[in-house]
């Protein structure tokens, strides 16, 4: 029973993430890949990879933007990478903010980039919290089984 | 999604093929790579991943045969994805799919022009990945298909192989199996079309092909083929015997016959030496006499009515007793489409050579075949208009004794002929001059009036140190014609040159034509192709001539047209050396452009060493004419291998044709086409056409 409740809770979480636009179809596809393809732990693995990678990139970006002479090409490269990984995991909001970030970067707008970074970071943190909750629920469900 | 996945899996399983397809996934982003890997596995592919482009390249180099397809991210820190794409294309001839979050047109275009067979946007979806196996199949089959398909499609894969170990690939953007004419096709295909893959067990891919399974002419297989042909000698190289010598299981006479056709040019090239000899001997005597006779009549330009005309030619020759002239047959092949008809078909007869190959030009439309023959009279031009579609093809082939072959070829060619140049190849010479080329215009059926013109093309422009013997005068002519083309002057010029039969084509002729000498070049014969090596020879002088020299590399085999862009580069660069190593991809070319065009032939030279690629274009034909040097054409010739008719056709003809179509030239369609091209910037066709034309013109 507890497992059912947990599963219900997980589903609710996932639904809200999707409904809020935090994640998109890509994320659903990943879940389907996991469920249908017999690759348990796949979503958890990808999500973990994403969180670690995004966290690293955001740190790199923060460091770059603090430089007196910002290397916008590097910044752009990082943002591009973050955009790629967020797209792959279905982190829609993060991906969108990356789009704006890149534009500011191309304009070499340092202040804009700093603001964009803050937005990206916030979106990422929100998402990471959800993901962590999701992973915990999954672990609990598994533990119960 | 699920359903798709399932279905896909099931479908694949049924055919077996896609299942287990070996895919190398390269992405520096661990998230993307993980997702991609999982998706690919879901498609039941055998997946290998790496997060470094350099590692991927190393893996590919070490285990070239262990992968069927490469999927690479565009942005990677250690190596730009485009660079990887380019290297893979050049070295491995594997289909490469680019992957990026960035879907800007410019970026996608860059991927395509660099040879990507597809460009996917992240996040990649299962549906897309389930279909990527088609690129593998397409590439492998492209050759076959091309051949099959209307003959228009042709690839030069073999050529790639031939080229060398290098694997240079020339890809033609051969048409897809479906035979769709669409540009896209070409684009995609360009990479895929590299035929290099063929070598890797194309058989597996057959499933995709609706057609009966074809033999994949891998490099190895092709080498056996060439060895058998060489052993037999030109005269005796009939499919049956070749098959016996090759001693390959499951290979049928039909396969060999088909390949033989395809390889016309190559063969010629290979044969060239032999041809040269023949030429001198046989041809020089009887043939010349014959030619002379013809020449008188030559003026006649009859429009050949139908494809048959070629046949006539053939017969004609036969009557003459010059079977040696396979060329005639070759011619016929050229015109199969009836191209000739309109125009006058000219046939070149290289003297010793048989070379005549057709070039096909047109896609099917009208092709013009020029005959070469005497230049003077040739007024192919008329037809030209009609030709609009223009294509010209010409082939010169010299073949002595190879009649049989030629006929076969001809058959093949029906669709398109690409031009083939056969040159005699004397090995020696590099860029030599074309020795005599005789042209014989084809008259309509009965008439055979040919002049002989032997054109010797000397690459004056080119340094000339070498002479091309052989053959190929055509190309030069073409060039000239191109140059002049618009004006048509070239023709005259050619003719002039032609007249002097034995004379050499030289720049002079060209000059006469009005074309600038520079333009004049030619390409000549296969041997001459070597010139290419030298490079420039032609190029410099003409800008246009391409030569392929078969001799040098018998190996080299085919040049493919495809990569227009590369060609350009070469052209631009002027460096012969550069050659187009890269693969040319038709498709890309077509796609992008018009500009490149040259495309068709690219490669030729891939390896300087080998020699030669034939293709060099000369860039600009006539200064005046072509403004754009780049456009100029490249000629493609494949040195050794030549263009197979198929190839030729594949190459670009179809598209080219279009370009050509605009033809304005009086010359045959070729000119027209060329001209058009130039105008249009489509170098490819033009180039090809040009060459051919020129040949014809020369003749």
């Amino acid at each position: 029973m507890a497992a059912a409740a947990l599963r219900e809770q997980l589903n609710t979480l996932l639904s809200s993430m999707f409904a809020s636009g935090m994640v998109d179809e890509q994320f659903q596809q990943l879940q389907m890949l996991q469920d249908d393809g017999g690759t348990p732990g796949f979503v958890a693995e990808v999500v973990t990879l994403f969180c670690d990678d995004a966290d690293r990139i955001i740190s790199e970006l923060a460091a770059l933007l603090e430089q007196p002479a910002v290397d916008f090409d590097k910044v752009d490269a990082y943002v591009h990478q973050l955009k790629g990984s967020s797209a792959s995991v279905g982190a829609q909001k993060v991906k969108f903010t990356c789009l704006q970030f890149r534009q500011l970067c191309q304009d070499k707008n340092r202040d804009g980039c700093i603001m964009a970074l803050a937005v990206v970071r916030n979106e990422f943190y929100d998402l990471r919290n959800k993901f962590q909750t999701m992973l915990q629920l999954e672990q609990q469900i598994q533990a119960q089984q | 999604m699920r359903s798709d996945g399932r279905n896909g899996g099931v479908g694949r399983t049924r055919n077996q093929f896609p299942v287990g397809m070996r895919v190398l996934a390269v992405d520096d982003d661990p998230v993307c790579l993980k997702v991609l890997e999982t998706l690919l596995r879901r498609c039941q592919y055998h997946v290998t991943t790496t997060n470094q482009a350099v590692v991927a390249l190393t893996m590919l180099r070490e285990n070239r045969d262990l992968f069927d397809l490469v999927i690479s991210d565009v942005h990677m820190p250690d190596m730009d994805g485009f660079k990887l794409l380019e290297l893979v294309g050049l070295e491995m001839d594997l289909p490469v799919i680019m992957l990026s979050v960035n879907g800007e047109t410019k970026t996608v275009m860059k991927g395509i022009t660099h040879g990507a067979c597809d460009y996917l946007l992240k996040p990649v979806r299962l549906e897309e990945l389930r279909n990527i196996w088609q690129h593998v199949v397409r590439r492998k089959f492209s050759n076959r298909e091309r051949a099959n398909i209307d003959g228009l499609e042709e690839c030069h894969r073999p050529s790639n192989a031939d080229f060398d170990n290098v694997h240079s690939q020339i890809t033609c953007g051969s048409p897809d199996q479906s035979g769709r004419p669409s540009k896209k096709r070409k684009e995609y295909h360009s990479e895929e079309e590299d035929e290099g893959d063929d070598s890797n067990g194309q058989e597996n891919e057959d499933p995709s092909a609706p057609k009966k399974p074809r033999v994949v002419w891998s490099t190895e297989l092709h080498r056996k083929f060439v060895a058998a042909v060489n052993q037999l000698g030109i005269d005796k190289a009939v499919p049956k015997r070749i098959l016996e010598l090759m001693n390959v299981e499951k290979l049928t006479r039909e396969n060999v016959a088909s390949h033989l056709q395809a390889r016309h040019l190559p063969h010629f090239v290979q044969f060239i030496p032999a041809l040269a000899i023949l030429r001198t001997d046989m041809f020089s005597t009887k043939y010349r006499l014959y030619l002379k006779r013809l020449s008188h009549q030559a003026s006649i330009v009859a429009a050949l009515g139908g494809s048959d005309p070629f046949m006539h030619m053939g017969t004609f020759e036969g009557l003459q007793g010059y079977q040696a002239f396979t060329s005639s047959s070759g011619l016929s092949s050229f015109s199969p489409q009836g191209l000739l008809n309109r125009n006058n078909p000219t046939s070149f007869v290289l003297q010793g050579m048989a070379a005549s190959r057709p070039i096909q030009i047109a896609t099917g439309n009208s092709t013009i075949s020029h005959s070469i023959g005497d230049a003077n009279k040739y007024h192919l031009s008329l037809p030209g208009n009609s030709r609009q579609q223009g294509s010209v093809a010409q082939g010169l082939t010299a073949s002595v004794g190879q009649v049989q072959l030629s006929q076969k070829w001809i058959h093949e060619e029906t669709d398109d002929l690409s031009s083939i140049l056969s040159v005699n190849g004397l090995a020696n010479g590099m860029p030599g001059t074309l020795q005599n080329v005789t042209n014989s215009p084809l008259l309509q059926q009965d008439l055979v009036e040919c002049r002989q013109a032997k054109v010797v093309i000397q690459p004056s422009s080119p340094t000339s140190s070498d002479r091309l013997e052989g053959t190929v005068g055509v190309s030069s002519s073409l060039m000239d014609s191109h140059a002049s083309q618009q004006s048509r002057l070239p023709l005259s010029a050619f003719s002039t040159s032609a007249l002097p039969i034995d004379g050499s084509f030289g720049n002079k002729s060209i000059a006469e034509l009005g074309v600038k000498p520079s333009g004049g070049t030619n390409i000549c014969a296969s041997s001459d192709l070597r010139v290419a090596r030298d490079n420039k020879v032609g190029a410099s002088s003409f800008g246009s001539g391409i030569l392929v020299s078969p001799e040098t590399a018998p190996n080299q085999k085919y040049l493919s047209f495809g990569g227009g862009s590369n060609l350009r580069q070469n052209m631009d660069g002027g460096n012969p050396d550069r050659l187009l190593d890269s693969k040319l991809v038709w498709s890309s070319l077509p796609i992008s452009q018009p500009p490149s065009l040259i495309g068709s032939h690219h490669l030729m030279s891939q390896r300087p060493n080998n020699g030669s690629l034939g293709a060099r274009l000369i860039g600009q034909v006539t200064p005046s004419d072509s403004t754009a040097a780049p456009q100029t054409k490249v000629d493609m010739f494949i040195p050794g291998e030549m263009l197979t008719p198929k190839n030729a056709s594949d190459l670009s003809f179809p598209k080219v044709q279009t370009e050509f179509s605009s033809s304005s030239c009086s010359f045959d369609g070729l000119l027209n086409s060329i001209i058009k091209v130039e105008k249009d910037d489509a170098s490819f066709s033009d180039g090809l056409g040009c060459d051919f034309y020129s040949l014809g013109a020369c003749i």
Side-chain angles (χ1 to χ4, degrees):
Chain A
M1 295 302 289
L6 287 171
R7 197 173 294 281
E8 179 67 26
Q9 196 176 340
L10 177 59
N11 288 337
T12 303
L13 173 66
L14 293 175
S15 297
S16 69
M17 288 172 70
F18 186 71
S20 66
M22 189 172 277
V23 294
D24 58 18
E25 304 80 20
Q26 176 65 16
F27 185 69
Q28 292 186 310
Q29 181 171 28
L30 297 183
Q31 289 187 307
M32 282 187 274
L33 270 176
Q34 171 177 275
D35 300 341
D36 300 349
T39 48
F42 167 64
V43 173
E45 184 179 359
V46 172
V47 164
T48 304
L49 274 174
F50 169 72
C51 291
D52 293 347
D53 202 45
D55 204 31
R56 176 184 62 83
I57 291 173
I58 288 172
S59 298
E60 295 280 1
L61 286 170
L64 282 172
L65 292 172
E66 283 175 6
Q67 298 293 322
V70 178
D71 183 343
F72 287 102
D73 287 338
K74 270 191 178 176
V75 172
D76 186 65
Y78 276 118
V79 177
H80 184 268
Q81 192 185 338
L82 180 59
K83 182 183 165 193
S85 57
S86 57
S88 292
V89 82
Q92 190 171 234
K93 283 190 175 179
V94 174
K95 184 181 73 175
F96 287 154
T97 52
C98 283
L99 280 173
Q100 300 168 337
F101 198 157
R102 286 202 75 189
Q103 185 56 54
L104 292 165
C105 188
Q106 283 165 7
D107 296 340
K108 301 200 184 302
N109 181 340
R110 182 176 177 175
D111 292 337
C113 284
I114 291 173
M115 289 181 61
L117 177 61
V119 176
V120 169
R121 185 189 280 121
N122 285 336
E123 292 292 352
F124 170 64
Y125 286 165
D126 279 352
L127 180 64
R128 188 170 63 177
N129 285 334
K130 300 281 188 185
F131 277 156
Q132 286 172 343
T133 303
M134 178 189 79
L135 294 179
Q136 286 171 2
L137 285 169
E138 287 180 343
Q139 284 178 351
Q140 290 173 17
I141 290 171
Q142 254 185 340
Q144 302 244 339
Q145 286 175 339
Chain B
M1 305 279 299
R2 294 180 182 179
S3 60
D4 292 347
R6 294 173 185 172
N7 295 339
V10 175
R12 299 283 131 55
T13 309
R14 238 189 303 161
N15 292 332
Q16 283 296 316
F17 160 62
V19 175
M21 183 174 75
R22 301 157 305 175
V23 180
L24 176 61
V26 191
D27 197 329
D28 62 299
D29 185 332
V31 179
C32 296
L33 190 59
K34 181 64 187 174
V35 173
L36 178 61
E37 177 188 358
T38 305
L39 289 169
L40 290 170
R41 288 195 195 289
R42 171 55 66 84
C43 295
Q44 299 187 55
Y45 301 141
H46 182 275
V47 189
T48 303
T49 64
T50 176
N51 60 356
Q52 292 181 55
V54 175
V55 173
L57 197 56
T58 303
M59 293 171 72
L60 289 168
R61 283 174 172 160
E62 292 177 352
N63 304 294
R64 184 173 289 157
D65 299 331
L66 297 184
F67 300 99
D68 298 311
L69 178 75
V70 177
I71 297 184
S72 172
D73 183 25
V74 172
H75 299 274
M76 291 182 286
D78 63 328
M79 182 189 289
D80 186 271
F82 293 124
K83 181 67 178 173
L84 175 65
L85 167 62
E86 203 171 283
L87 292 174
V88 171
L90 288 175
E91 301 177 25
M92 270 67 81
D93 189 27
L94 285 175
V96 179
I97 294 174
M98 297 306 289
L99 200 60
S100 177
V101 206
N102 187 355
E104 292 174 16
T105 305
K106 192 170 63 179
T107 313
V108 176
M109 187 61 80
K110 187 175 178 184
I112 298 298
T113 54
H114 277 68
C117 60
D118 206 346
Y119 194 105
L120 302 178
L121 294 182
K122 291 180 184 177
V124 185
R125 303 186 67 82
L126 194 58
E127 291 82 355
E128 295 172 306
L129 295 177
R130 274 203 266 100
N131 264 327
I132 59 174
W133 56 267
Q134 66 183 299
H135 298 298
V136 174
V137 175
R138 191 174 291 142
R139 176 165 297 195
K140 292 182 180 181
F141 286 99
S142 59
N143 294 335
R144 300 172 183 178
E145 293 175 355
R146 294 173 185 174
N148 294 340
I149 297 171
D150 303 354
L152 295 178
E153 307 169 5
E154 296 165 354
C155 295
H156 301 291
R157 348 161 173 163
S159 50
N160 296 346
D162 297 3
F163 279 104
D164 308 324
N165 310 325
V166 176
H167 296 292
S168 50
Q169 306 167 336
I170 296 172
T171 47
C172 304
S174 53
D176 293 359
Q177 299 174 347
S178 55
R180 350 158 188 168
S182 62
K183 296 177 181 180
K184 288 182 179 180
R185 202 207 281 178
K186 291 180 180 180
E187 295 175 355
Y188 287 106
H189 293 294
S190 58
E191 289 182 352
E192 297 176 352
E193 298 190 349
D194 293 0
E195 298 174 353
D197 291 353
D198 295 352
S199 56
N200 304 338
Q202 296 174 344
E203 294 178 358
N204 297 335
E205 301 169 352
D206 291 354
S208 62
K211 303 172 184 178
K212 59 186 175 184
R214 296 182 182 179
V215 172
V216 174
W217 285 89
S218 64
T219 303
E220 186 184 353
L221 201 55
H222 180 71
R223 283 185 182 144
K224 284 185 178 180
F225 170 81
V226 172
V229 173
N230 287 336
Q231 187 177 334
L232 290 169
I234 303 171
D235 297 343
K236 299 176 181 174
V238 295
K240 184 180 177 183
R241 300 212 51 193
I242 294 173
L243 179 62
E244 292 171 358
L245 281 176
M246 287 177 73
N247 190 30
V248 174
E249 203 177 348
K250 294 181 180 176
L251 195 64
T252 66
R253 195 196 70 81
E254 287 70 26
N255 294 143
V256 174
S258 173
H259 190 61
L260 191 58
Q261 295 175 346
R263 309 294 168 166
H264 289 304
L265 294 178
H267 287 294
F268 286 113
V269 172
Q270 296 173 350
F271 296 116
I272 292 170
L275 293 175
I277 296 172
L278 293 176
R279 228 209 265 177
T280 38
D281 300 342
M282 303 177 60
F283 293 99
S284 57
T285 57
K286 294 178 181 178
Y287 192 69
R288 289 183 184 179
L289 293 175
Y290 174 77
L291 293 176
K292 289 180 181 179
R293 255 202 331 194
L294 295 177
S295 62
H296 292 291
Q297 297 175 348
S299 5
I300 300 168
V301 173
L304 297 185
S307 51
D308 291 355
F310 290 101
M311 298 298 292
H312 295 298
M313 297 288 298
T315 45
F316 169 41
E317 292 177 353
L319 294 177
Q320 300 294 331
Y322 291 83
Q323 291 179 344
F325 291 86
T326 34
S327 53
S328 57
S329 47
L331 293 177
S332 2
S333 43
F334 285 113
S335 33
Q337 295 178 341
L339 300 177
L340 296 179
N341 306 337
R342 299 173 183 175
N343 301 324
N344 305 330
T346 14
S347 41
F348 293 102
V349 176
L350 293 186
Q351 294 178 340
M353 308 292 305
S356 37
R357 220 316 153 45
I359 298 178
Q360 285 183 339
I361 305 185
T363 26
N365 303 339
S366 37
T367 314
I368 297 169
S369 46
H370 294 287
S371 338
I372 309 192
D374 301 357
N376 298 346
K377 301 158 156 226
Y378 242 80
H379 296 299
L380 297 180
S381 51
L382 299 179
N385 299 343
S386 51
R387 296 174 186 177
Q388 299 173 346
Q389 295 178 344
S391 24
V392 174
Q394 305 179 328
L396 298 183
T397 34
S399 40
V400 174
Q402 294 183 344
V403 177
Q404 295 175 342
L405 295 176
S406 56
Q407 295 175 345
K408 295 177 182 179
W409 294 1
I410 294 170
H411 294 294
E412 295 175 356
E413 292 175 356
T414 49
D415 296 345
D416 298 56
L417 297 184
S418 354
S419 45
I420 299 174
L421 299 182
S422 44
V423 176
N424 303 319
L426 295 187
N428 319 335
M430 314 262 324
T433 344
L434 296 184
Q435 296 180 342
N436 312 321
V437 174
T438 51
N439 299 325
S440 48
L442 299 183
L443 293 186
Q444 291 178 344
Q445 305 172 345
D446 295 355
L447 303 180
V448 171
E449 293 173 348
C450 299
R451 292 180 176 184
Q452 301 171 338
K454 295 178 178 182
V455 173
V456 174
I457 298 176
Q458 295 177 341
S460 42
S461 40
T463 37
S464 36
S465 36
D466 305 340
R467 295 180 177 179
L468 300 184
E469 288 183 354
T471 3
V472 181
V474 175
S475 52
S476 31
S477 309
L478 295 180
M479 304 292 298
D480 296 355
S481 51
H482 291 299
S484 47
Q485 48 178 213
Q486 296 175 343
S487 52
R488 299 183 181 181
L489 295 178
L491 292 177
S492 49
F494 283 100
S495 46
T496 52
S497 52
L499 295 178
I501 299 173
D502 294 348
S504 47
F505 250 39
N507 298 335
K508 294 178 180 181
S509 330
I510 296 170
E512 293 177 358
L513 293 181
V515 173
K516 296 178 181 182
S518 50
T521 336
N522 348 280
I523 309 181
C524 301
S526 29
S527 322
D528 304 351
L529 296 182
R530 296 176 182 179
V531 173
R533 294 180 175 179
D534 293 359
N535 305 302
K536 304 184 161 198
V537 174
S540 42
S541 32
F542 303 88
S544 39
I546 296 169
L547 305 182
V548 175
S549 51
E551 296 176 354
T552 4
N555 302 338
Q556 299 174 348
K557 321 195 167 176
Y558 308 158
L559 297 183
S560 325
F561 294 70
S565 28
N566 297 340
L567 292 178
R568 292 178 180 178
Q569 296 176 348
N570 296 339
M571 309 249 343
D572 298 347
N575 304 335
D577 297 359
R578 289 188 177 186
L579 303 185
L580 312 175
D581 318 356
S582 29
K583 311 172 171 186
L584 299 186
V585 174
W586 276 95
S587 20
S588 49
L589 293 178
I591 301 170
S592 29
Q593 296 36 225
S596 9
L597 310 182
I598 301 179
S600 335
H601 318 331
H602 306 303
L603 316 185
M604 328 253 355
S605 31
Q606 306 185 337
R607 305 173 180 189
N609 300 339
N610 293 342
S612 25
L613 294 187
R616 283 179 180 188
L617 302 186
I618 311 180
Q620 311 166 339
V621 176
T622 319
S624 51
D625 290 351
S626 45
T627 356
Q631 290 181 338
T632 19
K633 345 160 138 233
V634 173
D635 296 15
M636 10 168 24
F637 297 82
I638 301 171
E641 301 198 333
M642 324 276 328
L643 313 178
T644 315
K646 294 178 180 180
N647 295 340
S649 8
D650 292 352
L651 292 181
S652 34
F653 285 91
K655 295 180 179 179
V656 171
Q657 293 177 340
T658 34
E659 294 174 356
F660 286 94
S661 48
S662 54
S663 57
S664 41
C665 301
S666 42
F667 259 97
D668 302 26
L670 293 177
L671 294 178
N672 297 339
S673 3
I674 295 169
I675 294 169
K676 292 178 179 180
V677 173
E678 292 176 354
K679 295 175 180 180
D680 298 352
D681 292 347
S683 346
F684 291 96
S685 358
D686 292 351
L688 295 176
C690 291
D691 294 345
F692 292 15
Y693 288 103
S694 30
L695 292 177
C698 294
I699 293 165

